[in-house]
Amino acid sequence: MPIEDLEKAFQNKIDNEIKIEPRDWMPEAYRKTNTRQISQHAHSEVVGMLPESNWISRAPSLKRKAILIAKVQDEGGHGLYLYAAAETLGTGREQMIDDLNSGKAKYSSIFNYPTLTWADMGAVGWLVDGAAILNQVMLCRTSYGPYARAMVRICKEESFHQRQGFESLLVLSKGTDEQKAMCQDAINRWWWPSLMMFGPKDSESTNSDQSMKWKIKRKTNDELRQNFVDMIAEQIKLLGMKLPDPDLKWNEEKKHYDYGEINWEEFWSVVKGNGPCNRQRLDARNKAHNEGAWVREAAIAYAEKKKNKQTAA
Amino acid sequence: MDNSNVEMNQLLNYTLHLADTNLILAQRNGECCAYGPILEQDIAITNITLDLLGQARNFYQYAALITGNTATEDSLAYLRTEREYKNLLITEIPNIDWAQIVLRQFFYSVYQYEVFKHLQTGADTQLAAIAEKSIKETTYHVKWSSEWVIRLGDGTTESFEKINKALQNIWQYTGEFFIPADYEKNFIDYSTIKEKWISKIKIVLEEATLKVPENIFMQTGGKTGIHTEHMGFILSDMQYLQRTYPGAEW
């Protein structure tokens, strides 16, 4: 079949909501975009474990400790499904991890911010997972089958995490003055970076048009960001806290909240590697990977020996 | 103290010993979370951490019930000091590398499995119930950790050297497993547990091409609150929020 016909058949499938599967023909750019996006998503899960595991040893109650450990473990599991989904497009996990460790591949910039107090565990769950969910709910209907199916599983766990994060902040918001201050401070620090998670404005986003046409994405960055603001602006009322944006205000005409201008200079600076923890996160991933090398080698050597013994017997 | 008070006190201390040992090992294993040698094993050790913590909570909740008044699982975990903690010493030594982490888990899980089997048929119904509930998890911990000990021992020269070094380092902390503190004597008889432990350890170490160390002096003290120098750091880290904001709810 000539390539034009293949491309036409491919787009036809997408227009008719038929999922693209690993063995199906797909344009190279579709393969590349999905590989990049799914592996970035996997990396984000794995790097995202770092700022949260930072508080495991210091969780203030045994119940909170158990919830936090389970959450970080879930993130690891999400990383696994996503690497598996990305591998169906032909790139091996080892390659993807090398790209992460060398700094070639990106991950969500939000994880380059530090978790400074216990309240950050709640704020990350509520705001960061909350922002991630809006994106992920959309991705449950993404056109690439393995990615969409991984997302369905992940979404269930993520919405649980978001509720847990909110609940943990709710306890702080009803606690001592110091706890209330800790809660507000965490919200102040995480609010703007959470808004940045949706990426550049639609007018500045380079990948958006094609991704929408291929139904890799189904909503634009700005649409998702608006959904997030509308959701959080309501939920924060239950906490009795404030979002750090003087321009935040309900717009009766648009039936949405208006919000202030994002500091895009900060956004691009963190993307380029200048966030408070970019270096630490990459160092931590590299250290774990390098220190684990002898363990992985031993596992392979042992499996080989065992196989040889079985063949000999 | 009359006899029933003495008995209650022993039950409390024994239950705390079980809880503390699990919690401190969960603290140490929890340090691996997000830092494992490969994602699958990161998840596995984190899962074991979660099991250990869950078991610890069951024991603390029971200990809180015995203590009465306003005691809770958290007051027992977060507001006792180094000398009050009764965990085994092996749980508090730092994570040197993956070899030490899996070997410690192996020594402890095999021991814990035998202890739980013993407690399942013991006189205290609550301890029996917790043991019954926990033993499935512990069975998996034994399987997972023994596979790793074998893999590292019979893997590469480097992995053999590392796990052999870990073996020489931590063997000294296994002796106290079987020396009963005064408060334990009503609940447990270590003579058969020790035999079963040694025989399982020998089988696995042999398959891992490792030798059971000989003539190593055995350290003791954990069960009666005489810990290593690491203990204070573990508690100051773990208890910091509860100590900084006394009485706050989390």
Side-chain angles (χ1 to χ4, degrees):
Chain A
M1 217 188 275
I3 193 136
E4 295 78 18
D5 292 351
L6 287 168
E7 272 172 5
K8 216 172 141 192
F10 172 81
Q11 188 62 48
N12 213 16
K13 263 192 199 165
I14 287 181
D15 295 343
N16 287 301
E17 301 294 335
I18 297 169
K19 294 275 180 260
I20 306 302
E21 296 300 335
R23 283 157 185 262
D24 294 348
W25 185 88
M26 62 187 87
E28 257 331 282
Y30 179 86
R31 186 183 298 279
K32 221 173 130 187
T33 304
N34 264 299
T35 304
R36 185 183 43 111
Q37 191 175 326
I38 304 170
S39 64
Q40 272 185 19
H41 195 160
H43 298 330
S44 301
E45 298 284 355
V46 171
V47 176
M49 294 166 79
L50 295 166
E52 296 194 300
S53 75
N54 182 36
W55 279 90
I56 288 176
S57 71
R58 294 173 292 169
S61 72
L62 297 180
K63 180 182 129 190
R64 294 286 170 207
K65 191 189 287 289
I67 290 174
L68 182 59
I69 295 172
K71 180 175 188 235
V72 183
Q73 190 194 11
D74 283 347
E75 315 289 2
H78 298 170
L80 270 190
Y81 318 149
L82 286 164
Y83 281 125
E87 280 188 313
T88 63
L89 290 159
T91 306
R93 183 163 130 198
E94 223 164 291
Q95 179 64 51
M96 292 187 262
I97 289 173
D98 284 347
D99 287 347
L100 169 67
N101 291 347
S102 71
K104 187 178 159 206
K106 298 277 180 235
Y107 54 87
S108 178
S109 269
I110 192 79
F111 300 118
N112 291 318
Y113 289 86
T115 51
L116 300 180
T117 72
W118 170 251
D120 289 25
M121 292 301 97
V124 167
W126 178 45
L127 296 174
V128 175
D129 289 355
I133 287 166
L134 286 175
N135 196 33
Q136 288 167 352
V137 165
M138 169 190 78
L139 289 171
C140 291
R141 293 166 55 236
T142 192
S143 58
Y144 187 56
Y147 193 22
R149 290 188 287 272
M151 274 302 127
V152 173
R153 256 175 102 173
I154 290 173
C155 274
K156 282 184 197 151
E157 290 176 353
E158 290 289 7
S159 55
F160 186 57
H161 296 164
Q162 200 213 3
R163 280 204 300 279
Q164 284 173 333
F166 182 80
E167 192 266 333
S168 146
L169 291 183
L170 194 60
V171 171
L172 295 182
S173 75
K174 291 178 175 160
T176 65
D177 288 348
E178 287 148 319
Q179 287 175 304
K180 286 177 188 160
M182 192 189 277
C183 180
Q184 182 63 61
D185 168 65
I187 293 168
N188 292 349
R189 282 181 290 108
W190 288 95
W191 171 246
W192 290 106
S194 301
L195 286 188
M196 295 176 198
M197 284 175 71
F198 298 96
K201 279 191 208 179
D202 294 348
S203 52
E204 319 258 319
S205 179
T206 46
N207 299 318
S208 254
D209 288 349
Q210 185 62 65
S211 287
M212 295 286 279
K213 189 173 167 234
W214 279 336
K215 294 186 183 169
I216 296 175
K217 288 176 72 159
R218 287 169 177 266
K219 285 184 176 184
T220 69
N221 294 354
D222 286 337
E223 280 176 290
L224 287 167
R225 188 163 20 239
Q226 184 67 58
N227 291 349
F228 178 67
V229 172
D230 291 347
M231 175 175 88
I232 298 298
E234 286 300 314
Q235 289 177 355
I236 197 160
K237 292 177 184 168
L238 301 170
L239 293 177
M241 298 279 145
K242 283 204 165 63
L243 291 173
D245 179 358
D247 297 327
L248 186 85
K249 175 164 101 240
W250 178 249
N251 183 324
E252 186 54 38
E253 199 180 314
K254 292 189 199 157
K255 301 283 178 207
H256 285 297
Y257 278 89
D258 290 331
Y259 57 94
E261 184 64 21
I262 290 168
N263 181 350
W264 293 110
E265 211 174 302
E266 176 182 325
F267 172 78
W268 289 114
S269 173
V270 178
V271 168
K272 285 176 188 143
N274 302 322
C277 300
N278 291 62
R279 201 173 288 262
Q280 289 92 320
R281 300 296 184 238
L282 264 197
D283 286 351
R285 282 317 315 152
N286 275 290
K287 186 166 181 275
H289 189 73
N290 295 339
E291 286 178 358
W294 69 269
V295 178
R296 296 189 298 273
E297 282 159 19
I300 292 166
Y302 176 74
E304 282 294 317
K305 280 187 201 175
K306 218 177 161 185
K307 205 168 81 188
N308 292 341
K309 266 184 213 162
Q310 273 165 356
T311 326
Chain B
M1 265 195 274
D2 62 28
N3 274 346
S4 73
N5 267 349
V6 171
E7 273 172 32
M8 279 312 264
N9 208 37
Q10 287 176 341
L11 175 62
L12 174 63
N13 283 329
Y14 183 56
T15 307
L16 284 172
H17 155 69
L18 294 169
D20 291 346
T21 299
N22 262 29
L23 178 61
I24 300 303
L25 186 54
Q27 269 311 96
R28 278 296 186 220
N29 282 348
E31 294 170 18
C32 304
C33 180
Y35 298 91
I38 190 166
L39 194 48
E40 285 83 347
Q41 299 308 325
D42 197 311
I43 294 171
I45 189 78
T46 305
N47 194 39
I48 290 171
T49 305
L50 206 51
D51 289 342
L52 293 171
L53 178 60
Q55 294 169 5
R57 291 184 66 192
N58 286 327
F59 288 124
Y60 280 126
Q61 285 161 10
Y62 184 38
L65 202 69
I66 301 165
T67 308
N69 295 321
T70 55
T72 63
E73 56 170 355
D74 287 330
S75 70
L76 294 171
Y78 286 88
L79 301 175
R80 284 182 307 132
T81 62
E82 295 93 319
R83 293 283 283 105
E84 292 170 292
Y85 259 76
K86 295 169 179 57
N87 56 286
L88 295 170
L89 298 174
I90 198 168
T91 60
E92 64 203 61
I93 54 169
N95 300 343
I96 300 293
D97 57 17
W98 189 248
Q100 182 150 311
I101 290 162
V102 298
L103 187 65
R104 167 170 59 194
Q105 191 64 50
F106 172 60
F107 286 161
Y108 179 60
S109 293
V110 174
Y111 169 73
Q112 197 187 30
Y113 177 85
E114 295 302 336
V115 168
F116 281 166
K117 263 179 84 174
H118 194 89
L119 291 180
Q120 270 182 308
T121 56
D124 190 276
T125 52
Q126 193 57 37
L127 289 181
I130 299 172
E132 170 94 36
K133 198 175 142 197
S134 307
I135 202 158
K136 268 188 216 148
E137 293 166 350
T138 308
T139 306
Y140 166 73
H141 304 167
V142 170
K143 180 175 184 292
W144 179 86
S145 59
S146 54
E147 284 171 2
W148 268 108
V149 169
I150 293 165
R151 214 173 269 142
L152 295 185
D154 194 19
T156 61
T157 314
E158 186 182 8
S159 69
F160 172 83
E161 277 166 10
K162 285 195 195 295
I163 197 152
N164 192 38
K165 191 170 172 203
L167 178 61
Q168 306 310 318
N169 280 343
I170 69 174
W171 185 256
Q172 60 177 325
Y173 300 110
T174 58
E176 73 166 343
F177 288 8
F178 312 102
I179 303 170
D182 283 344
Y183 56 77
E184 285 185 281
K185 287 171 184 158
N186 286 338
F187 304 99
I188 201 125
D189 170 12
Y190 284 120
S191 55
T192 54
I193 291 178
K194 186 176 182 179
E195 263 173 50
K196 287 180 180 163
W197 185 84
I198 275 283
S199 101
K200 172 80 179 171
I201 299 300
K202 275 186 178 159
I203 292 168
V204 171
L205 289 188
E206 190 175 327
E207 199 177 339
T209 73
L210 292 158
K211 284 197 186 74
V212 173
E214 280 167 17
N215 302 323
I216 285 185
F217 182 81
M218 290 296 188
Q219 301 295 332
T220 57
K223 289 179 178 184
T224 51
I226 307 289
H227 292 281
T228 66
E229 288 182 340
H230 307 294
M231 192 63 191
F233 293 96
I234 296 176
L235 293 188
S236 56
D237 187 42
M238 182 174 82
Q239 298 179 339
Y240 125 80
L241 280 165
Q242 288 272 355
R243 300 283 188 189
T244 311
Y245 304 103
E249 295 283 328
W250 301 92

